[in-house]
Amino acid sequence: MSFWEKGYLATAGAVALAASAYAYIIWQRSVELAAVVAPDAASFVTYVAVIVVLSALAFIIIASRDATKTGADDALVDGYDERDRMIGDMANSQSHHVTSVGVYIALLAFIVHGSGNVLFYSVLGALALGEISMCLLRVFHYNRAY
Amino acid sequence: MPKRPPITNRVRELREAHGQMSQSALAKEIGVTRQTVIAIEQGKYSPSLESAFRIARVFGVGLEDVFGWEGD
């Protein structure tokens, strides 16, 4: 498995973990309130920060382990080339469809429920799903023939 | 099962005949990653025209001596 495959798998894991934890916290607060709790800046910023930090840490750890295992020369060679760009473009294009569908569902939920809070969390969920699908699609395409 | 590109290549054979050049060394010469060289040798990736020419130049042979069409 290449550096990028490991990195994107780790990123998918980080987003899934952070999104699940955030969803659980929001759900618990909503149950206590008996209504969908309004989003607050502190929780939202913490959610984004956790994803960024976990992903960055994962890439750093993978890079250092790869360099140790294969030698410094190999690590330098594993950059981002034409094949990585092609796979990245395909994965991004396809994951945009996942995000779009999620956003349309969120808008429909808003029309049905009329709740801005539900709209916010639905869109956030769509973005998280889009990010996870982008990462998984990259790994999928790395193992296909082109 | 993904469909392989209909392009064959002798990259591995030429690389080994070229002083047992490593995949990393070839990757550095043509400006791609080692993973891409592996994918090319396994027939899982058809390189761009520029990269194909670079590979041929590294081995000092023509393009058609490196790459071929399946069935030819």
Side-chain angles (χ1 to χ4, degrees):
Chain A
M1 198 177 269
S2 73
F3 165 76
W4 290 111
E5 286 175 82
K6 291 179 209 168
Y8 281 113
L9 270 180
T11 300
V15 174
L17 188 69
S20 301
Y22 186 67
Y24 178 71
I25 290 167
I26 297 303
W27 177 77
Q28 272 209 318
R29 287 184 189 170
S30 300
V31 164
E32 287 168 14
L33 204 61
V36 178
V37 70
D40 65 287
S43 304
F44 178 68
V45 168
T46 304
Y47 163 71
V48 172
V50 164
I51 290 174
V52 169
V53 167
L54 283 180
S55 300
L57 268 174
F59 271 102
I60 290 167
I61 291 168
I62 291 165
S64 61
R65 286 179 70 179
D66 272 8
T68 308
K69 192 172 61 177
T70 65
D73 284 345
D74 282 350
L76 286 172
V77 170
D78 283 330
Y80 199 73
D81 66 3
E82 60 183 50
R83 182 169 167 255
D84 297 311
R85 273 193 297 276
M86 178 194 77
I87 286 169
D89 288 346
M90 278 196 293
N92 285 341
S93 170
Q94 290 163 349
S95 67
H96 284 158
H97 294 303
V98 173
T99 307
S100 299
V101 167
V103 169
Y104 276 113
I105 291 173
L107 292 172
L108 194 65
F110 176 71
I111 290 169
V112 169
H113 295 286
S115 165
N117 296 340
V118 169
L119 175 65
F120 177 87
Y121 295 121
S122 302
V123 168
L124 203 59
L127 289 171
L129 275 175
E131 188 70 20
I132 292 167
S133 70
M134 187 274 294
C135 294
L136 296 179
L137 280 165
R138 280 184 187 246
V139 175
F140 171 72
H141 286 304
Y142 270 120
N143 289 285
R144 287 203 65 178
Y146 294 104
Chain B
M1 189 73 175
K3 195 180 172 190
R4 287 180 177 275
I7 295 172
T8 60
N9 70 74
R10 297 173 53 224
V11 173
R12 181 172 184 163
E13 179 189 327
L14 288 165
R15 180 174 58 78
E16 289 173 350
H18 213 72
Q20 289 292 325
M21 183 188 274
S22 70
Q23 289 169 334
S24 298
L26 177 60
K28 267 186 193 164
E29 287 286 332
I30 63 175
V32 296
T33 63
R34 183 172 52 90
Q35 295 297 328
T36 297
V37 169
I38 293 169
I40 292 170
E41 289 184 355
Q42 290 177 345
K44 285 171 70 174
Y45 175 68
S46 295
S48 65
L49 196 56
E50 179 183 339
S51 293
F53 268 104
R54 285 180 187 272
I55 292 171
R57 282 168 64 90
V58 165
F59 297 133
V61 297
L63 205 58
E64 291 203 352
D65 294 319
V66 185
F67 298 96
W69 191 262
E70 202 170 71
D72 282 356

